[in-house]
Amino acid sequence: GEDVEQSLFLSVREGDSSVINCTYTDSSSTYLYWYKQEPGAGLQLLTYIFSNMDMKQDQRLTVLLNKKDKHLSLRIADTQTGDSAIYFCAENYSGNTGKLIFGQGTTLQVKP
Amino acid sequence: ETGVTQSPTHLIKTRGQQVTLRCSSQSGHNTVSWYQQALGQGPQFIFQYYREEENGRGNFPPRFSGLQFPNYSSELNVNALELDDSALYLCASSSTSSGNIQYFGAGTRLSVL
């Protein structure tokens, strides 16, 4: 099946770490992605991880991949008010590498 | 900024009309994908174009069609517009030589009245 699930809302204090979680169903996905969407804007690619990796770090962002449980997480260190946005997890459907399957998005609210 | 540009940014149409949305891909990219994002939802894959041909399609009716041009730019056409077609339409470009990592434009907001 094709399904990506995310929790809908996360609220953190400025300076804290944020962890956004995602589960997916296609165990043959090649890449898994995190995109950020600010109000009224398109999708910004934050990071992606190849399916044979367990972890990827990019400045304040850390992605963890647990293939056994089909679980992906995005940790944002030292969260800032500018990080407030909707975060989408996506997998590329193995049957067609051009098709990304997105979750519903997690709204991250950062309080000062 | 990704280098993927979409036009127009906003569009208002009435039910039954036809609409064309345009996308210029990022330099060096040869593949374009289109997505529909309804309010409060994640994007849904419409189709992808590679070498000027449709290369995969999501669960959308035939009144959604597209084109890709030799310069890799693309159009999305929607005929017989319905109220439920109101959404943000996103274009993404990618390169088959770089793992098909998709970079999105800012989208076209379509309102059908």
Side-chain angles (χ1 to χ4, degrees):
Chain A
E2 307 170 13
D3 201 14
V4 176
E5 300 272 348
Q6 299 178 239
S7 53
L8 294 183
F9 186 79
L10 176 66
S11 181
V12 301
R13 291 257 175 228
E14 192 173 19
D16 288 349
S17 291
S18 308
V19 179
I20 303 171
N21 295 300
C22 167
T23 56
Y24 61 96
T25 53
D26 188 350
S27 58
S28 300
S29 290
T30 311
Y31 290 100
L32 294 128
Y33 305 81
W34 285 103
Y35 287 90
K36 175 184 179 183
Q37 187 173 40
E38 299 187 31
L43 298 181
Q44 174 193 351
L45 177 63
L46 282 179
T47 187
Y48 59 91
I49 186 167
F50 194 54
S51 59
N52 68 353
M53 298 170 65
D54 298 324
M55 186 181 89
K56 180 178 180 181
Q57 190 152 359
D58 185 359
Q59 299 183 325
R60 291 191 298 123
L61 305 178
T62 303
V63 178
L64 295 178
L65 174 60
N66 180 330
K67 285 196 73 173
K68 175 176 166 288
D69 295 336
K70 299 193 186 80
H71 183 265
L72 183 73
S73 68
L74 173 70
R75 179 178 180 269
I76 306 173
D78 187 24
T79 314
Q80 303 297 307
T81 54
D83 294 325
S84 293
I86 302 175
Y87 290 80
F88 290 97
C89 165
E91 62 173 342
N92 73 289
Y93 173 56
S94 61
N96 177 341
T97 58
K99 177 180 180 178
L100 296 184
I101 301 166
F102 286 85
Q104 232 181 326
T106 299
T107 298
L108 175 64
Q109 179 189 67
V110 182
K111 296 179 180 177
Chain B
E1 295 289 327
T2 61
V4 180
T5 57
Q6 293 187 243
S7 62
T9 52
H10 294 88
L11 206 48
I12 300 174
K13 291 286 189 178
T14 55
R15 197 168 45 181
Q17 285 189 311
Q18 178 264 344
V19 69
T20 298
L21 310 182
R22 294 178 175 85
C23 173
S24 293
S25 58
Q26 185 170 313
S27 177
H29 286 184
N30 57 6
T31 301
V32 174
S33 304
W34 287 91
Y35 293 81
Q36 180 195 66
Q37 186 180 20
L39 204 58
Q41 303 294 318
Q44 298 287 317
F45 177 76
I46 303 175
F47 42 54
Q48 183 186 67
Y49 276 82
Y50 171 63
R51 291 186 173 177
E52 301 176 47
E53 292 193 359
E54 188 179 288
N55 180 40
R57 187 178 185 94
N59 191 24
F60 282 81
R63 59 190 184 83
F64 285 78
S65 63
L67 285 172
Q68 186 182 33
F69 300 100
N71 67 354
Y72 307 119
S73 66
S74 177
E75 285 181 357
L76 164 65
N77 299 290
V78 187
N79 292 324
L81 284 167
E82 300 176 1
L83 298 179
D84 284 350
D85 295 334
S86 296
L88 180 68
Y89 288 84
L90 295 161
C91 165
S93 75
S94 57
S95 169
T96 50
S97 61
S98 304
N100 261 324
I101 307 299
Q102 296 187 22
Y103 296 86
F104 284 80
T108 294
R109 173 76 59 189
L110 173 64
S111 299
V112 182
L113 306 178

